[in-house]
Amino acid sequence: MKIRDLLLFGTLLTAPAMLDAQQTTVPSSSASQAAPEDEGLTGSVTDESEWQDLGIAIPSFPTNASVPTAAEGGNTEALGRNVARVVYNDLRNNGLFKPVGPDQLPEVAFPQVTAPTFDAWRGRSAEMLVQGFVKANDDGRLTVGCYLYDVALGSELARQGYVVKPEEWRRAAHKCADMVYSRLSGESPFFDSKIAYIAETGPKDRRRKQLAIMDSDGANHRFITNGQATALTPRYSPDYSKIVYLSYLNGAPRIYVYNIGTGQQTLVTSSTNPTFAPRWSPDGKWILYSMAIAGNTDIYRVPATGGQSTRLTDSPGIDVGGSYSPDGSKIVFESDRSGSQQLYVMDADGSNQKRISFFGGRAATPEWSPRGDQIAFTHIGGNFRIAVTDPYGKGMRFLTDSWQDEAPTWSPNGRIVQFFRTERGSGKTGIWQVDLTGRNERKLNTPVDGSDPAWGPVLP
């Protein structure tokens, strides 16, 4: 969906901006005292210390009039509670805050959205307060307002509003959570994003694997392929318009680019040789992949529109799993040229190949953080665990400790790592995520088993 369909308006430190053609505005709080833009919590996502547990109250978003709507709930009053629930769940599952949601809090009246009863919230030990409203517009769309207050200071910290189609109401909730997260943590948002993954059904020795996409919280799920061909290892393009993935039909591997807007698929390259792990370059112009020829697997680069491939590695053994650094200058990959799977880094043209993992065990499926400061990978040493290291192979630490966790992918802001977990015995797979402290794990609900997750960038 383009920005014209979801109009972001009104920010901290600005006068109320226009919401729609009728020049509706986000009402300002009578107690509002905008804080300096660089204030808020600070910290590094690579720090292992505990983040502050910040208490945030998120009551139901009231409406000025209960009006029927096609959005979930059937009317704007019910929708206001659903919006608050999504905001609450977003903030609850990232490991930074201690929110209390609308089902545990009293409702607020519509006028209180811009004039909070701070004394009452102080009595509930709330440090921050998220309030908002839902209003039906004459054109059938919805206006959702979102406000963040510092309860102790009795002041407004930020406010935004969104005009959305009824079917896009969850985007407004995610944008609200993004505003709160960014203002309090000082980090980039990530809730208004999508995830591609491989949906798996059938017995473990004959799995049916389809390409599927969903919101970052598992909502709005849909299948992209019908399962006649096996789909593997999807990745979103940097501009969110496409997904590259590997398809196997009758044993023949092909790399396709799926256009999300048009539903069209473009063949990038095909071969009779085993092919693995297509990945985008940060500028969207190239796709990395690995291919095995005569028992030797190397990493190749091909234009995203198709064409001639260029081989980047040429060593005995298996080189696979290339992932670009955010600036596109380097590639991390796995290779067994030293005798076991290890992490290597090379320049984008294939030069200066260097091993960086010397911490024991084996290392596979590396992916560079969008922040550039970490590489997530699968550590194999008995069990399969998700681990991170810096780009030089220093400071390695485990994020998970299960039987078989693999194939990490990063949230758009580089704070959450997503992966898939296989159950011992049953072979059932599921999509999980963990924050960089390693203390907050969460399983995403999917209609069927899931593997090979790929987290896309924040939606425009």
Side-chain angles (χ1 to χ4, degrees), residues 121-321:
W121 293 113
R122 292 184 190 107
R124 290 181 170 271
S125 300
E127 298 166 89
M128 297 290 163
L129 172 65
V130 178
Q131 293 192 155
F133 66 85
V134 174
K135 184 171 73 71
N137 299 338
D138 292 339
D139 61 1
R141 295 188 297 173
L142 300 164
T143 296
V144 179
C146 178
Y147 300 77
L148 172 63
Y149 297 100
D150 185 314
V151 175
L153 297 179
S155 65
E156 178 189 299
L157 295 181
R159 52 186 155 92
Q160 287 183 351
Y162 323 92
V163 174
V164 294
K165 298 176 182 178
E167 63 270 22
E168 297 283 356
W169 69 270
R170 297 185 71 94
R171 285 205 62 192
H174 290 317
K175 286 291 188 187
C176 177
D178 276 335
M179 181 197 76
V180 175
Y181 176 87
S182 296
R183 182 63 183 87
L184 296 179
S185 72
E187 298 206 6
S188 300
F190 67 96
F191 297 118
D192 188 28
S193 57
K194 288 187 176 291
I195 294 163
Y197 79 102
I198 300 304
E200 298 192 11
T201 54
K204 63 181 180 180
D205 59 339
R206 296 192 309 275
R207 299 292 268 175
R208 178 185 177 96
K209 299 187 177 186
Q210 298 173 253
L211 176 62
I213 60 175
M214 58 186 173
D215 291 355
S216 66
D217 59 356
N220 291 324
H221 183 281
R222 66 187 177 102
F223 295 103
I224 300 299
T225 61
N226 60 17
Q228 292 180 352
T230 294
L232 298 169
T233 58
R235 283 297 184 274
Y236 276 101
S237 63
D239 66 358
Y240 234 132
S241 65
K242 304 176 185 71
I243 297 173
V244 66
Y245 73 100
L246 183 64
S247 174
Y248 269 83
L249 181 62
N250 299 324
R254 296 177 175 88
I255 295 176
Y256 284 102
V257 167
Y258 173 82
N259 187 304
I260 298 172
T262 66
Q264 294 181 334
Q265 294 198 124
T266 302
L267 178 64
V268 176
T269 186
S270 63
S271 173
T272 58
N273 298 302
T275 304
F276 316 98
R279 299 288 187 267
W280 294 92
S281 63
D283 60 8
K285 295 180 179 179
W286 303 95
I287 291 173
L288 289 179
Y289 68 98
S290 301
M291 183 170 60
I293 300 177
N296 193 70
T297 303
D298 286 302
I299 296 173
Y300 294 77
R301 182 184 68 189
V302 64
T305 54
Q308 186 67 35
S309 295
T310 301
R311 186 167 63 181
L312 300 182
T313 65
D314 186 15
S315 68
I318 299 173
D319 298 335
V320 73

Side-chain angles (χ1 to χ4, degrees), residues 365-413:
T365 65
E367 183 157 309
W368 219 304
S369 164
R371 300 170 67 102
D373 62 342
Q374 299 274 286
I375 293 169
F377 64 98
T378 303
H379 183 276
I380 307 169
N383 293 350
F384 287 46
R385 294 189 280 178
I386 303 301
V388 291
T389 183
D390 72 17
Y392 307 99
K394 307 297 183 183
M396 192 277 286
R397 58 195 179 89
F398 296 110
L399 299 185
T400 70
D401 187 14
S402 187
W403 177 64
Q404 190 166 325
D405 296 341
E406 55 189 310
T409 180
W410 291 90
S411 65
N413 69 346

Side-chain angles (χ1 to χ4, degrees), residues 8 24 81 121 216 220 225 325 335 339 345 361 363 374 382 405 407 437 442 460:
L8 173 65
T24 306
R81 182 171 294 275
W121 293 113
S216 66
N220 291 324
T225 61
S325 61
S335 175
V345 170
Q374 299 274 286
D405 296 341
T437 69
R442 174 196 179 198

Side-chain angles (χ1 to χ4, degrees), residues 316-346:
I318 299 173
D319 298 335
V320 73
S323 170
Y324 281 96
S325 61
D327 64 3
S329 67
K330 295 186 180 298
I331 296 168
V332 63
F333 63 100
E334 65 179 90
S335 175
D336 68 352
R337 66 185 66 177
S338 66
S340 67
Q341 291 166 283
Q342 299 296 334
L343 302 184
Y344 287 74
V345 170
M346 63 182 173

